[in-house]
Amino acid sequence: MPLPPDRADGGPATSASAAADPLPSWRDTGPKAAILEFVSAVTDPGSPDLVPERDRVAVFDNDGTLATEMPMYTQFAFALDRAAQLGHPTDPTELRAGGIGAVVELVKLTHGSITTDEFDRVCREWMATARHPLLGRPWSAMVYQPMLELLRLLGRHEFSCWIFSGGGTDFMRTWATDVYGLAPHRLIGSIGSAEFRIGDAGPELVKGTDIQVVDDKAQKPVSIHRHVGQRPVLAAGNTDGDLAMLQWTAASPYRTLQLAVHHTDADREYAYDRDAVLGAGVDELHAAVAERHWTLVDMADDWATIFPPPA
Amino acid sequence: MPLPPDRADGGPATSASAAADPLPSWRDTGPKAAILEFVSAVTDPGSPDLVPERDRVAVFDNDGTLATEMPMYTQFAFALDRAAQLGHPTDPTELRAGGIGAVVELVKLTHGSITTDEFDRVCREWMATARHPLLGRPWSAMVYQPMLELLRLLGRHEFSCWIFSGGGTDFMRTWATDVYGLAPHRLIGSIGSAEFRIGDAGPELVKGTDIQVVDDKAQKPVSIHRHVGQRPVLAAGNTDGDLAMLQWTAASPYRTLQLAVHHTDADREYAYDRDAVLGAGVDELHAAVAERHWTLVDMADDWATIFPPPA
């Protein structure tokens, strides 16, 4: 499933079947047609809506948009396991009851006071052994096959695809780089403090316990400005936390596309309108979708396949 | 002089002469030989020091390393002109006497309370008309021809080149993108606050007056971690403010190269060991160069040409 980063950053089509139908896991419903028409319109050299290659920026939320966020964010599953390992077991129910304050304490305990190299190792070890309850696979395999196909399609058309997630940047880069085929700098999330120091083993970066950037809501356009420096022409999200990112994209002078993924499939994934831990909802996002004729992706109706085939 | 961003991000060699001598503005002294040997050693497929393409990350300071920082940083020249325009004339001597406090006030006045789109327009207008006192050219043309050649050489060898500057990110991106042939996301500097809001004309980002990140000294490795997420294998700087960046690079598991540009040419540029406004020195950097056998670039001895030919 992993793509080499250089390929997803804009390599050629890899097979005749990809050329025939670049989105085989999407049903032939509205969203697939909207995506294919948009990509053609902004990349066909003869199109009046042509966007120059350098301006083909696409931004994605991660949890719930590219990957399963139920029964909890992948990073929370990691944090709970690590807290237990560190001698501070926490129950998921406790975490939900404690709200944002409990989450911050858990993040400080499990993500701080550790070098970036050591944190990278800890995350990779966890990902290699932990399993998601739904399919019994690694959490990194609980990503959406239709969205992987979309990332590849955009890469083949010289888009640069970026992720702006509420999750932690360091955690996400340890697994998502390979899974999505995106270079580490394309994966941006919330950011904690870090300190450069010359340790016993030489220069190192030590992660602190302050959360400096929470990459959600109105922060997402700010983070896009800082990390990309260009306005996107395509944005995809699934909760009200992504609305500002979609609004910012829609205000581009170029033609744009906004996708809102709706979790409607209780049989194959989950059906919900509010995430399990932090309670992010979808009302504002769906109101904007209706008002502005953005593209709603109904997972039950629009996706023929949800997850990649087993490894 | 400008390169298209896609080319500098790793295009093919563009001419036979570039293949014959990719660094024609470098004299045949030690630094040129060190650069050519290093690039060959880390990119030749048969080399024991081969660095995979995805890990070929090179980082550069801007002011004094890629561009003239005398008689003051380009951005200070802009800020003084803009302050005068806004009815708050400030003398360069006053600015020097006032130290960092005066600089912060000047930045707040001239860089805050303005949308990012409007700030972009103001910067471009200034750059189109302001002239550097040394050669009477636009400040954006006061960049070093040997370093432009180095950026191109690295780009042709699939390096991703990034700038980590103490200067402001937004200001730098308005001119340096074209001059260096690097996409906006490759230009990182100090960062001020910004706020997303829905204004009368639609969504906008408004620059605030808080300086959130001063991208200097120990912050440079932290910024590299945030914005690149990989350790560099090549770093170039010119003052003690760049030392941590060079130390971090030197600690890579790959073979690395460190360049320290020394301003020794009072005839063709400037000769100094301390910058004019903030007083950044070179003592710690030069001590590390001597101790660790890094590469000192003596502008008078090692560069045949300093500036690009007139436009």
Side-chain angles (χ1 to χ4, degrees), chain A residues 5 54 116-117 162 170 173 184-185 191-192 194 196 203-205 212 218 221-222 225-229 231 244 247-248 251, chain B residues 5 54 116-117 162 170 173 184-185 191-192 194 196 203-205 212 218 221-222 225-229 231 244 247-248 251:
Chain A
R54 69 169 71 184
T116 51
D117 284 351
W162 299 71
D170 288 344
R173 285 177 178 168
H185 71 268
I191 291 175
F196 175 76
E204 60 192 15
L205 290 176
Q212 297 188 320
V222 175
H225 179 70
R226 285 185 180 176
H227 285 267
V228 186
R231 285 204 201 188
Q247 288 172 322
W248 182 236
Chain B
R54 68 169 73 181
T116 51
D117 284 351
W162 299 71
D170 288 344
R173 285 177 177 167
H185 71 268
I191 291 175
F196 175 76
E204 59 191 16
L205 290 176
Q212 297 187 320
V222 175
H225 178 69
R226 286 185 181 177
H227 284 267
V228 187
R231 283 204 202 189
Q247 289 172 321
W248 181 236

Side-chain angles (χ1 to χ4, degrees), chain B residues 292-303:
Chain B
R292 310 201 50 176
H293 307 289
W294 291 344
T295 301
L296 195 69
V297 178
D298 183 305
M299 287 176 66
D301 287 350
D302 298 323
W303 287 357

Side-chain angles (χ1 to χ4, degrees), chain B residues 5-30:
Chain B
D6 47 343
R7 177 60 50 82
D9 282 358
T14 49
S15 72
S17 70
D21 180 358
L23 300 175
S25 299
W26 293 70
R27 292 210 178 97
D28 289 325
T29 49

Side-chain angles (χ1 to χ4, degrees), chain B residues 136-151:
Chain B
R137 298 181 184 184
W139 289 71
S140 58
M142 299 302 290
V143 293
Y144 305 136
Q145 177 65 20
M147 297 304 271
L148 295 179
E149 293 168 4
L150 176 57
L151 289 173

